[in-house]
Amino acid sequence: MSSPAEPIERHTLSMLVDNEPGVLARIVGLFSGRGYNIDSLTVSEVSHDSKLSRITVVTTGAPPIIEQIKSQLDRLVPVHRVVDLTVVGKAVERELALIKVRGKGEIRQEALLIADSFRARTVDTTLESFVFEITGKPDKIDQFVSLLEPLGLVEVSRTGVAAIGRGPEGM
Amino acid sequence: MMREMTGAEMVMQALIDQGVEHMFGYPGGAVLPIYDAMFHQNQVRHVLVRHEQGAVHMAEGYARSSGKVGVVLVTSGPGATNAVTGLTDALLDSIPVVCITGQVPTHLIGSDAFQECDTVGITRPCTKHNYLVRDINDLARVLHEAFYVAQNGRPGPVVVDIPKDVQFARGIYVGPENIQHKTYQPRLKGDPEKVKAAVELLAKAKRPVFYTGGGVINSGPEASRLLREFARLSGYPVTSTLMGLGAYPASDRQWLGMLGMHGTYEANMAMHDCDVMVCVGARFDDRITGRVDAFSPNSKKIHIDIDPSSINKNIKIDIPIIGDVKHVLEDMLTMWRAMKAEPDRRAIASWWGEIDRWRARKSLSYVKSPDLIKPQYAIERLYEAVKEKDVYITTEVGQHQMWAAQHFHFEEPNRWMTSGGLGTMGYGLPAAIGAQVAHPDSLVIDIAGEASIQMCLQELSTALQFNLPVKIFVLNNEYMGMVRQWQDLLHGGRYSHSYSESLPDFVKLAEAYGGVGIRCHRPGDLDGAIQEMLNVDRPVLFDCLVDKMENVLPMIPSGKPHNEMIMPDHPEALDDAISEEGKMLV
């Protein structure tokens, strides 16, 4: 159903699923088997008593493909609910990243200044390196990482997006 | 009922409680405890197959001809991997199957043990759902859930993988009455607003068509009855996919024949030129739509489907109705009557005038021969010989399958079983055996080709062992005919490996198995030979030698819309029918 003319959209989908073996493989397999994109994926148990996990997927595609992805996910037996947070309204989206930079002298100062202006925390320090922790929207983290790039960026570890709808209602 | 027993006993008890009468399987190390539990009961009859692929196709044939769930039991490793083709077939054709697989004991899982494979990993994309049961306390619930999932919503295959130690372990069995599925609750009733909008649109239609599919069959005989009632009430034409044949009677005047790549001219032209299309339990598959951007360009489309993911998948829908065909048709009929809907009789009459002109093109015609048996003629004569009988038809995959769909005519649902979605050569014989198990006193015929039949021919031995007198009617043209036809179309007639070299003597082969072999190559002898086949109360392999070069027509060449069919009176148009872009398609 996709045609080249249709715009590619970015959608954040949130799912409640049974926390059973293979459920993640089922969802990831659906994306790879049908040729859909995964830009970001987070998974964690959210209710131990009812054995529920919440999976948040950021995906891209033309609008009919996004609809198809949701229907395909929704018909998986262990999937309880699928909510398109992008359609529901401006959801809160946050990601955490740990970023290591290496350098000496002025470069260290510069890195600390940038970290400060992004409200990143310094969680590890040596005489020639820092590890920063930053939380925020993905594009804020992108920007932070790109500023650190010339200052001795060593590696980045990102959690992927966690998201939740605004207002009093749950999913 | 709650009772302590072993895991293996639970499997048999669950099958009994689910009303299973027959299962298809093959023993092996990892399922021996279940086979032992089977030995101690006589409520479930086991049909021993010769290859696990055959077991799943038998379960499919059993399910499709009876409306029940087909049950399979196979061992770990190769037992499970051999079942994969059948499971994928059942997934694509939405057939309810529960397949129980043995697994190595839990403490050996992951150690590359003998006959170990990651069964749930391998079957995850080819089942509707699957389970690995590591704890005896989950086993009974999972087995009942498997039956629930297989037959509710859009039906499909479910695998339950049971490690051998779980089969030996003891636990408390719970019956199906205590099980309710937590989340999987497919919607059966359509949205009343959508139903109303659909009926209003339909009542005003000037050029309507019912495009029906396998969902009507899956919804049960009542759905077919309601479809007939709706057609009669409205006077609108009906066509069907390969999967849906029989839901609407082929003898009825409103029947247009099958649609799609090898469908009739009138069916495809009606689809192309209609103003309102009602898709009932079909999924706009590529065999149906042809070129998507030129598919039925001027129609409003109503789509009834139990699976929301079928909506808008290939074709944009104006009024989607999520629900079970039977429930939705019932509500539409009620609404139609409540609204006192009156179709536009003049417009409908003129629509029928147009359809009749398309029909007059006689798109299924072919040139008869006094010396050669034309494959279409063979199907026609077979149909004439058995049409008054209680008959079930299965097919393999290829040209013979299309000729069977075109020239054998079905009046009732559940009488026609063919591998539609996956296109599995080797499906027909085991499916026929499954149908014969479900209907021991009926006539069951597998219409086959000489290439396909060799893919699961070993099941002839199963038919003999269990006194299942299936008839295998082979249209033998010494070619993988559909491959040869496409090589004609796309590859300059270079028949790369499509000739069936070194064919066996099918008559002797049938006799070697203990069955009956019949050969016929003259049109004049055909009726007598068919009668001879029908008079035998044992499995028969009928080797019908037909014209080697016949092509299946009419045809929508790949990449072309419905109104650009190649007709049998101008077969030369086939030569340059397919564009460069169309060549990419299958």
Side-chain angles (χ1 to χ4, degrees):
Chain A
M1 273 282 296
S2 71
S3 70
E6 282 179 291
I8 300 296
E9 295 180 357
R10 173 184 180 279
H11 282 243
T12 305
L13 310 179
S14 226
M15 282 161 265
L16 277 182
V17 304
D18 286 322
N19 184 12
E20 62 181 32
V23 66
L24 182 61
R26 212 174 284 285
I27 284 160
V28 171
L30 189 153
F31 275 82
S32 66
R34 292 185 183 267
Y36 306 143
N37 303 312
I38 297 181
D39 288 1
S40 156
L41 173 71
T42 58
V43 193
S44 190
E45 190 174 72
V46 288
S47 159
H48 189 68
D49 295 342
S50 49
K51 292 192 179 135
L52 283 179
S53 283
R54 183 162 174 145
I55 297 181
T56 307
V57 179
V58 179
T59 184
T60 49
I65 296 292
I66 301 285
E67 283 308 307
Q68 202 32 225
I69 292 173
K70 286 189 272 185
S71 311
Q72 292 288 354
L73 288 169
D74 211 16
R75 71 179 187 147
L76 295 177
V77 172
V79 172
H80 294 229
R81 282 204 71 191
V82 181
V83 174
D84 186 341
L85 290 171
T86 306
V87 168
V88 169
K90 277 206 161 293
V92 180
E93 288 189 11
R94 288 295 179 270
E95 189 176 3
L96 185 143
L98 297 170
I99 297 151
K100 186 180 286 183
V101 287
R102 179 178 194 158
K104 287 184 172 173
E106 265 177 45
I107 281 182
R108 273 170 80 78
Q109 284 301 323
E110 189 66 21
L112 275 178
L113 269 169
I114 292 171
D116 193 45
S117 70
F118 274 81
R119 294 199 183 82
R121 290 183 354 156
T122 310
V123 291
D124 180 67
T125 311
T126 69
L127 288 174
E128 53 172 338
S129 72
F130 291 116
V131 174
F132 297 122
E133 176 199 310
I134 180 171
T135 307
K137 290 184 187 170
D139 51 357
K140 174 180 162 185
I141 295 172
D142 290 346
Q143 208 187 350
F144 183 53
V145 170
S146 71
L147 285 172
L148 291 178
E149 193 106 39
L151 303 178
L153 182 72
V154 177
E155 58 176 341
V156 181
S157 175
R158 296 172 69 150
T159 57
V161 174
I164 204 158
R166 292 180 192 272
E169 304 301 327
M171 77 177 277
Chain B
M1 147 191 197
M2 310 254 288
R3 191 152 60 83
E4 195 191 284
M5 58 179 83
T6 68
E9 287 164 347
M10 282 188 197
V11 171
M12 294 315 299
Q13 192 58 51
L15 297 183
I16 291 166
D17 289 348
Q18 288 289 341
V20 175
E21 292 170 79
H22 298 93
M23 63 197 298
F24 305 90
Y26 202 100
V31 280
L32 283 178
I34 300 174
Y35 273 87
D36 194 48
M38 188 191 300
F39 197 77
H40 291 101
Q41 59 83 48
N42 50 20
Q43 277 160 283
V44 184
R45 288 193 52 206
H46 177 269
V47 175
L48 176 68
V49 304
R50 300 300 184 265
H51 185 288
E52 289 87 350
Q53 180 186 348
V56 188
H57 293 326
M58 283 181 208
E60 288 184 273
Y62 185 87
R64 289 177 70 166
S65 65
S66 69
K68 297 186 204 162
V69 177
V71 180
V72 176
L73 175 60
V74 298
T75 194
S76 63
T81 56
N82 278 347
V84 164
T85 299
L87 293 170
T88 313
D89 192 89
L91 182 71
L92 284 220
D93 284 349
S94 308
I95 308 303
V97 168
V98 169
C99 176
I100 296 165
T101 55
Q103 181 55 278
V104 300
T106 43
H107 70 275
L108 288 181
I109 288 179
S111 71
D112 296 328
F114 178 63
Q115 293 197 328
E116 184 193 355
C117 72
D118 176 9
T119 300
V120 285
I122 290 169
T123 61
R124 199 172 282 128
C126 67
T127 53
K128 183 175 173 187
H129 195 49
N130 63 12
Y131 303 85
L132 168 62
V133 186
R134 288 171 171 272
D135 183 345
I136 182 72
N137 296 312
D138 293 333
L139 182 58
R141 174 185 59 81
V142 165
L143 287 164
H144 296 307
E145 243 184 62
F147 276 86
Y148 173 85
V149 170
Q151 59 194 316
N152 282 280
R154 181 175 177 174
V158 178
V159 162
V160 183
D161 196 27
I162 312 177
K164 197 171 179 182
D165 55 329
V166 176
Q167 298 171 31
F168 277 122
R170 295 187 74 82
I172 302 293
Y173 174 81
V174 287
E177 61 280 359
N178 300 324
I179 309 282
Q180 234 217 335
H181 202 280
K182 303 185 289 288
T183 51
Y184 189 68
Q185 309 282 356
R187 178 175 186 161
L188 297 177
K189 297 277 276 184
D191 175 349
E193 289 300 310
K194 296 273 170 57
V195 169
K196 182 157 178 280
V199 172
E200 280 168 357
L201 183 63
L202 253 184
K204 285 186 296 191
K206 297 186 186 310
R207 307 155 74 84
V209 65
F210 283 104
Y211 149 43
T212 67
V216 186
I217 314 261
N218 272 341
S219 183
E222 181 65 7
S224 294
R225 196 194 62 72
L226 290 164
L227 172 67
R228 292 160 191 222
E229 195 179 329
F230 207 169
R232 200 175 48 242
L233 208 60
S234 61
Y236 296 169
V238 183
T239 180
S240 162
T241 66
L242 182 72
M243 291 295 296
L245 296 178
Y248 196 81
S251 59
D252 192 86
R253 206 195 98 75
Q254 283 167 249
W255 171 243
L256 303 182
M258 181 176 77
L259 82 162
M261 184 173 271
H262 294 297
T264 65
Y265 186 62
E266 54 271 33
N268 286 325
M269 288 304 288
M271 288 288 281
H272 189 269
D273 285 4
C274 66
D275 68 346
V276 177
M277 174 189 298
V278 199
C279 170
V280 190
R283 60 184 174 92
F284 296 91
D285 169 272
D286 56 64
R287 300 293 95 164
I288 297 306
T289 57
R291 196 171 133 189
V292 170
D293 59 5
F295 173 73
S296 194
N298 302 312
S299 62
K300 292 272 185 207
K301 299 173 186 76
I302 300 164
H303 187 179
I304 305 169
D305 204 303
I306 199 160
D307 179 359
S309 78
S310 289
I311 308 280
N312 288 330
K313 183 163 67 178
N314 302 323
I315 296 293
K316 182 92 184 72
I317 299 302
D318 299 284
I319 305 181
I321 306 177
I322 312 288
D324 179 54
V325 166
K326 182 187 79 174
H327 289 85
V328 174
L329 285 182
E330 207 163 35
D331 291 349
M332 285 179 84
L333 274 164
T334 308
M335 184 74 75
W336 180 279
R337 291 199 168 100
M339 282 169 42
K340 298 194 170 29
E342 239 346 285
D344 182 342
R345 294 291 164 197
R346 272 186 60 189
I348 300 301
S350 109
W351 178 224
W352 273 110
E354 219 166 324
I355 290 171
D356 286 339
R357 278 190 293 283
W358 293 324
R359 212 176 235 170
R361 291 284 304 270
K362 295 197 181 309
S363 60
L364 298 181
S365 60
Y366 61 94
V367 184
K368 287 203 174 69
S369 156
D371 329 303
L372 288 174
I373 300 178
K374 290 285 183 171
Q376 302 94 323
Y377 179 74
I379 303 284
E380 275 178 9
R381 296 318 301 164
L382 180 69
Y383 172 67
E384 286 302 321
V386 304
K387 66 179 181 186
E388 302 298 337
K389 295 180 191 287
D390 171 20
V391 63
Y392 293 82
I393 300 291
T394 70
T395 76
E396 310 287 336
V397 167
Q399 286 186 317
H400 67 274
Q401 178 190 28
M402 291 299 110
W403 284 317
Q406 291 174 337
H407 297 279
F408 202 101
H409 308 291
F410 296 90
E411 298 296 309
E412 295 297 332
N414 304 99
R415 296 285 173 160
W416 160 252
M417 285 140 278
T418 192
S419 174
L422 193 64
T424 311
M425 292 169 75
Y427 171 88
L429 173 57
I433 291 172
Q436 188 83 76
V437 168
H439 306 278
D441 299 323
S442 306
L443 173 63
V444 182
I445 305 173
D446 169 29
I447 297 176
E450 87 292 334
S452 279
I453 191 62
Q454 294 189 81
M455 284 214 181
C456 277
L457 184 63
Q458 73 285 352
E459 302 304 337
L460 196 48
S461 177
T462 307
L464 264 299
Q465 182 185 343
F466 293 90
N467 297 317
L468 302 165
V470 293
K471 309 290 182 276
I472 307 164
F473 191 76
V474 178
L475 298 183
N476 183 349
N477 60 5
E478 298 180 13
Y479 278 102
M480 294 156 215
M482 196 56 96
V483 174
R484 197 221 67 225
Q485 178 166 344
W486 279 62
Q487 287 172 333
D488 270 330
L489 268 169
L490 294 178
H491 300 284
R494 293 180 295 280
Y495 299 152
S496 182
H497 294 271
S498 55
Y499 184 68
S500 296
E501 300 273 355
S502 306
L503 278 175
D505 179 331
F506 284 112
V507 173
K508 282 189 189 157
L509 190 59
E511 287 164 358
Y513 273 105
V516 175
I518 296 172
R519 181 171 296 123
C520 182
H521 66 273
R522 270 194 292 269
D525 297 340
L526 187 58
D527 285 350
I530 289 173
Q531 212 47 56
E532 191 189 335
M533 169 178 87
L534 297 176
N535 289 341
V536 180
D537 191 26
R538 286 160 60 203
V540 177
L541 211 170
F542 189 112
D543 187 17
C544 186
L545 303 176
V546 298
D547 185 348
K548 295 183 183 33
M549 299 313 283
E550 191 72 14
N551 283 332
V552 180
L553 291 171
M555 178 176 190
I556 305 174
S558 40
K560 291 285 166 83
H562 279 172
N563 59 348
E564 292 184 37
M565 288 197 91
I566 310 270
M567 299 291 277
D569 46 359
H570 290 288
E572 70 282 357
L574 270 178
D575 295 343
D576 49 7
I578 297 187
S579 63
E580 283 303 311
E581 205 178 320
K583 279 185 188 176
M584 304 298 165
L585 306 172
V586 289

